Amino acid sequence: MGRPTASAFLPSDTKILSIGLCPSALDYSRMPDGVDEAIFTARIEAANTVLREAGFDVVPCLIDVSLDRAEATVREQLQEHAFGLAMIGGGVRMLPENTLLFERLVNLLVETAPGIRLCFTTSPESTVEVLRRWIQV
């Protein structure tokens, strides 16, 4: 899968907001066998290490499934930093019960940070590939 062609790469120093569900907010009974909170937390930490080593300027933002708390957490980050790209994880996007959460976050991002680009992951391990679609470092 290639990079979208509608626009040029973002600058390599683009600050990225990485939004994902807090591992304690997930229902592990719905996860593949062997995935629990400790394993998922370790996967997130490993992905963050790979991102730093790859040179991306990423601010992790782990959210709750509560609409209001999640929005407040993201809004706080948007007030502290100017982001050019927001990455939203699969737990927010792909679980049907989080559809309203996903909608609220997308609307918050486009209203609060006009011009921000959005990208989406399917797992912590896909993060670098997803960011390279938009940013060359």
Side-chain angles (χ1 to χ4, degrees), residues 10-127:
L10 293 169
S12 62
D13 63 346
T14 298
K15 189 170 286 296
I16 304 156
L17 179 62
S18 176
I19 303 169
L21 289 179
C22 183
S24 63
L26 293 170
D27 176 2
Y28 291 94
S29 69
R30 299 180 59 198
M31 296 289 207
D33 287 341
V35 177
D36 60 17
E37 185 174 341
I39 289 172
F40 197 68
T41 299
R43 288 173 62 193
I44 292 170
E45 290 171 2
N48 287 337
T49 298
V50 169
L51 290 173
R52 283 189 301 277
E53 291 172 353
F56 291 106
D57 185 6
V58 176
V59 175
C61 182
L62 295 176
I63 60 170
D64 192 301
V65 293
S66 158
L67 299 176
D68 292 335
R69 286 191 304 263
E71 186 174 315
T73 300
V74 172
R75 189 177 297 280
E76 182 178 304
Q77 289 296 329
L78 292 170
Q79 290 170 347
E80 290 182 24
H81 305 281
F83 296 99
L85 183 64
M87 179 173 51
I88 301 176
V92 175
R93 285 185 313 101
M94 296 167 51
L95 299 175
E97 63 269 22
N98 291 335
T99 299
L100 184 55
L101 173 62
F102 178 54
E103 287 178 2
R104 283 199 39 188
L105 293 176
V106 167
N107 285 315
L108 172 65
L109 290 165
V110 298
E111 290 169 6
T112 307
I116 196 167
R117 304 268 178 83
L118 303 175
C119 63
F120 309 104
T121 64
T122 55
S123 71
E125 293 79 14
S126 71
T127 305

